Amino acid sequence: MPLHAISTTPVEHCELCHSTHFTEVGSKDRDGQPLRTVMCENCGLVFSDPRPNTAQIDDFYREGYRVAYKQAWQPRLKHTYRAGRVAQGRMRHLMPLLVPGSSVLDFGSGGGELVFILRELGHDARGIEPNIGYAEYSRDVLGIPVQIGGFAEARVQPRSLDLVTLFHVAEHLEHPVEAFKQAAQWLRVGGKLYIEVPNVESRCIWPSSRFHQAHLYNFNAATLAQAGRRAGLSVVTAFTSEDGGNVTAVFEKPETSVEAAPSPLADNADRIARILRDHTALAHAFTTHPYTRPIQKLRRQWDERQAIARSSDGKTLLQHLAREIQRPQRHSLHGTTTSELAMV
């Protein structure tokens, strides 16, 4: 059952600053289904209100999410290729954080493509994936260690990891600050938490496509960084992708953790409100995005068909993509940004 058809409960207060003053910024999701989206007037965090309860959210991600978005219980070869190409782009940012044999956990590992490539490159990588079908594919087809479940079911030794990654996961979490705290417990002192989410300030998509039923939260760089501080982590950097579609924050676990108190973010709500107001369908039509993105998609589809024709299974395909990373002089993403690939 899709999330918009599930009974919902009002949000009591903002996850970041505990304010109870919200302004509605959306009434429908990208498919035209009812979805009330609000912004905290105190800090600018954008989120769904009301939303399903914990059990309903867990059930949706366990069985329904991948079918709803990919129309598949397990990844097809084209899905593995697309996610593998995304993993290549992500590796460009992760490699400076890694040393030979780094211990890495990819939470929300999907079909396991990033974990597989990390292991091919010599790292001690594993995954956690809530969706049963995709997690079983990771284990049975790719042969990689992936736990099935969410943060509540995660079995990870404290202070055992050098790096934890959450790619397009935090926006789905009911309580992202609590999840970040749990991830911090898994890290060694000096370990990194790498988080990428869609950017609520994005201007590279049509305004009507901004809010999704499965995205409980919509971050910008300021609110994502503040979520990490609230979890007791130090902000190393926060940046947006080349096209502005995604925002990334890298956090470090300090020797002594001090959780930031709930507090407002000066002018952030005004900034987001102005961007949402000014990014109209007419304004978007006068940018290059509506016209260049279809061309980029056609080019990716051509590359996809060529790659699938050369590969008999997902493991062979991902091994080839991993070798491309090992041969950087031959590796090319054809000028495509990570965020563009992720939106295929």
Side-chain angles (χ1 to χ4, degrees):
M1 181 181 294
L3 277 182
H4 65 75
I6 297 174
S7 59
T8 53
T9 304
V11 175
E12 293 183 359
H13 57 74
C14 172
E15 176 85 354
L16 289 187
C17 69
H18 293 182
S19 172
T20 58
H21 299 288
F22 314 144
T23 298
E24 184 173 311
V25 294
S27 60
K28 295 182 179 180
D29 71 0
R30 66 179 181 182
D31 298 317
Q33 298 292 336
L35 179 70
R36 182 173 182 264
T37 302
V38 302
M39 181 180 65
C40 174
E41 298 174 4
N42 201 40
C43 71
L45 183 64
V46 178
F47 50 92
S48 301
D49 178 26
R51 69 170 62 122
N53 64 38
T54 302
Q56 293 167 332
I57 293 170
D58 291 346
D59 288 344
F60 176 70
Y61 286 111
R62 188 179 299 112
E63 298 188 10
Y65 174 67
R66 299 294 179 182
V67 174
Y69 279 80
K70 300 293 185 182
Q71 291 76 55
W73 176 252
Q74 292 190 330
R76 302 186 183 99
L77 195 56
K78 68 177 182 180
H79 298 143
T80 299
Y81 175 74
R82 293 172 186 177
R85 292 286 280 169
V86 172
Q88 280 187 320
R90 290 171 176 171
M91 284 301 302
R92 292 184 302 182
H93 298 287
L94 295 181
M95 289 176 75
L97 305 177
L98 300 169
V99 297
S102 287
S103 180
V104 185
L105 172 66
D106 183 30
F107 188 96
S109 52
E113 296 82 7
L114 180 61
V115 173
F116 185 93
I117 288 175
L118 282 163
R119 293 177 69 85
E120 286 290 298
L121 298 178
H123 300 291
D124 178 18
R126 71 200 83 163
I128 298 178
E129 169 56 38
N131 185 262
I132 296 172
Y134 270 56
E136 289 179 342
Y137 172 86
S138 303
R139 298 193 306 198
D140 299 342
V141 177
L142 299 184
I144 58 177
V146 173
Q147 296 179 29
I148 300 177
F151 274 94
E153 298 83 20
R155 302 180 304 278
V156 183
Q157 287 292 329
R159 299 193 173 209
S160 63
L161 299 171
D162 299 307
L163 174 66
V164 176
T165 61
L166 281 78
F167 284 101
H168 292 255
V169 169
E171 67 270 25
H172 299 274
L173 301 175
E174 185 179 14
H175 297 294
V177 171
E178 292 303 314
F180 296 175
K181 288 180 183 179
Q182 187 170 344
Q185 294 174 4
W186 302 336
L187 290 169
R188 300 184 177 100
V189 173
K192 304 297 192 296
L193 176 61
Y194 189 106
I195 302 174
E196 179 185 279
V197 294
N199 182 12
V200 72
E201 298 181 2
S202 172
R203 292 184 173 94
C204 66
I205 57 173
W206 287 101
S208 59
S209 298
R210 188 177 306 279
F211 301 124
H212 305 181
Q213 57 157 306
H215 293 183
L216 304 181
Y217 290 91
N218 301 269
F219 296 92
N220 70 347
T223 52
L224 183 59
Q226 183 67 359
R229 295 188 192 98
R230 293 274 289 110
L233 296 161
S234 301
V235 180
V236 176
T237 185
F239 58 91
T240 60
S241 58
E242 293 175 14
D243 66 354
N246 293 329
V247 61
T248 298
V250 182
F251 303 99
E252 182 174 276
K253 180 175 182 176
E255 187 168 353
T256 302
S257 178
V258 178
E259 298 176 12
S263 60
L265 294 175
D267 302 324
N268 195 50
D270 290 341
R271 170 191 171 91
I272 293 175
R274 183 175 63 255
I275 290 172
L276 296 182
R277 182 183 64 248
D278 293 346
H279 185 54
T280 64
L282 181 61
H284 188 70
F286 279 93
T287 70
T288 60
H289 295 297
Y291 317 106
T292 58
R293 287 166 71 84
I295 296 173
Q296 293 165 347
K297 184 175 181 179
L298 287 172
R299 185 167 55 188
R300 291 195 300 271
Q301 289 175 338
W302 170 257
D303 291 343
E304 176 185 305
R305 287 193 293 269
Q306 297 290 100
I308 290 175
R310 296 192 300 266
S311 303
S312 58
D313 57 80
K315 181 179 286 189
T316 302
L317 190 156
L318 291 174
Q319 287 171 335
H320 174 74
L321 294 180
R323 286 194 295 270
E324 286 188 346
I325 297 174
Q326 292 171 316
R327 299 193 302 269
Q329 68 275 17
R330 297 185 182 181
H331 174 52
S332 171
L333 289 182
H334 306 291
T336 305
T337 67
T338 304
S339 61
E340 289 167 346
L341 288 166
M343 300 175 80
V344 172

